[in-house]
Amino acid sequence: MTQDVIDRLIGSSEALIAALDAHDVDAIEAALPAFGKSVADLKSPGGGLPSPGLKARLDKALALADAARARVRYMADRTQQRIDMLAQAAGRFDCTPATYGRPGR
């Protein structure tokens, strides 16, 4: 694992977060392939233990990945809530479960 791989991961994570924050579907779709490639590049075998500088960059990359994950989960939850509200307004209780309902009840 090299500094270049980590820098690409950080850059692609920042681009994805910016696209998510802007709610720009085209930008999200454009950012996802670069993010996926940068994550795949992390899986390539590397040699030795990371230096303190590289470890600090890895920590930043992990924090950014967690920030992107939180945004995606929030947006998915809000989307499901909207679907549920539309289904309820249309009287279609058969097409979607309640967002926070309990299965089997």
Side-chain angles (χ1 to χ4, degrees), residues 15-32 75:
L16 180 58
I17 289 170
L20 290 167
D21 287 348
H23 301 283
D24 184 347
V25 174
D26 293 330
I28 293 169
E29 289 179 348
L32 282 173
M75 291 173 74

Side-chain angles (χ1 to χ4, degrees), residues 7-8 22 32 35-36 40 43 51 63 82 87 91:
D7 288 342
R8 282 197 309 267
L32 282 173
F35 180 73
K43 296 178 183 178
S51 67
R82 289 178 181 149

Side-chain angles (χ1 to χ4, degrees), residues 45-88:
L49 296 172
S51 67
L54 186 59
K55 179 156 179 2
R57 298 293 288 168
L58 278 170
D59 289 342
K60 180 177 180 179
L62 286 174
L64 287 169
D66 190 50
R69 179 198 55 81
R71 284 168 171 81
V72 168
R73 285 191 173 188
Y74 173 78
M75 291 173 74
D77 185 53
R78 291 292 299 155
T79 300
Q80 186 61 51
Q81 288 176 4
R82 289 178 181 149
I83 290 169
D84 291 346
M85 287 187 288
L86 288 171
Q88 186 175 14

Side-chain angles (χ1 to χ4, degrees), residues 36-56:
K37 182 172 179 351
S38 65
V39 169
D41 290 345
L42 283 177
K43 296 178 183 178
S44 64
L49 296 172
S51 67
L54 186 59
K55 179 156 179 2

